[in-house]
Amino acid sequence: MTPRQVADYMFDQDYFSQWMNIKMIEVKENYCLIEMPIKKEMINGLKTVHGGVTFAFADSALAFSSNNTGDAAVALNCIINFTKAGKEGDVFRAESILVNDTRKTAVYDIKITNQNNDLIAKFVGTVYKIGKKVTEL
């Protein structure tokens, strides 16, 4: 399977990412660019995007980029820095790039921006390679 086919296979079973209305823009080996519109249901009591939504969006980017070779990997550690509040009607983009790869772990940098290319958050995710194929799970 190509990286895009693996990501599509995962997305078809990922009801949470579907609920968030995530669209895959580009998928290459150990890389992805995804997009998500900000809906009313994603807004917190301060009228900004809930931090958990932003984190979950970045986590989806991590999943689609770190598993798209077909070898399954799960999140081991994730850190997020929020840099700008998102608003209803925004369109978020997350770009996930592999920065370090070892036999059992990998580290990805994920940048989340809005439709104006403003930096919304910076996310670093470390994954653990579990030694199985995505299609075996």
Side-chain angles (χ1 to χ4, degrees), residues 43-92:
I43 302 301
N44 65 22
L46 300 177
K47 299 180 185 170
T48 61
V49 177
H50 192 288
V53 170
T54 305
F55 188 99
F57 181 53
D59 187 50
S60 287
L62 177 65
F64 296 132
S65 60
S66 66
N67 285 281
N68 71 29
T69 62
D71 297 316
V74 295
L76 187 61
N77 184 52
C78 299
I79 299 167
I80 192 166
N81 287 294
F82 302 100
T83 55
K84 183 179 176 87
K87 304 278 189 189
E88 183 179 353
D90 280 350
V91 177
F92 281 8

Side-chain angles (χ1 to χ4, degrees), residues 6-74:
V6 174
D8 287 341
Y9 172 85
M10 290 176 62
F11 185 79
D12 287 344
Q13 303 172 87
D14 184 345
Y15 300 110
F16 187 71
S17 289
Q18 291 174 36
W19 175 81
M20 289 194 303
N21 203 25
I22 288 174
K23 302 285 184 253
M24 276 190 250
I25 306 302
E26 185 177 1
V27 178
K28 298 184 283 193
E29 188 171 315
N30 297 307
Y31 171 92
C32 80
L33 177 66
I34 59 175
E35 190 173 88
M36 173 184 74
I38 300 303
K39 308 182 277 190
K40 173 179 69 168
E41 297 84 3
M42 298 173 169
I43 302 301
N44 65 22
L46 300 177
K47 299 180 185 170
T48 61
V49 177
H50 192 288
V53 170
T54 305
F55 188 99
F57 181 53
D59 187 50
S60 287
L62 177 65
F64 296 132
S65 60
S66 66
N67 285 281
N68 71 29
T69 62
D71 297 316
V74 295

